[in-house]
Amino acid sequence: MNDPRIAENSPERPGGDPVCTNCGDAIEIESWHPVLAETDADGSFHLYPFCSSHCRDLWNHTRTINPRE
């Protein structure tokens, strides 16, 4: 995980409040929010929550330009 946004805003951070993977804003878990899921090269499953479709699209665009290693 070399993307600093993901490392700092990881949804997998135990005990942390849910935050947007892209911008770090708090996510209200009582309402619907977009997520992306992937399985990495090690076979681990990851869910990435976002505060809005706009943040999801920005994060996806950035990953396309600068893919994670």
Side-chain angles (χ1 to χ4, degrees):
M1 248 189 231
N2 294 332
D3 189 328
R5 293 171 306 167
I6 298 168
E8 293 171 9
N9 300 326
S10 174
E12 296 145 2
R13 188 178 52 202
D17 292 328
V19 295
C20 177
T21 301
N22 186 62
C23 72
D25 283 353
I27 296 174
E28 294 183 28
I29 60 172
E30 296 84 22
S31 60
W32 179 89
H33 56 275
V35 296
L36 289 176
E38 73 175 10
T39 303
D40 64 19
D42 297 329
S44 297
F45 182 74
H46 301 275
L47 282 176
Y48 300 102
F50 299 92
C51 62
S52 67
S53 296
H54 177 73
C55 264
R56 180 200 57 208
D57 294 345
L58 285 173
W59 187 78
N60 238 357
H61 178 71
T62 302
R63 283 188 62 208
T64 303
I65 295 170
N66 300 313
R68 291 188 294 153
E69 296 177 35

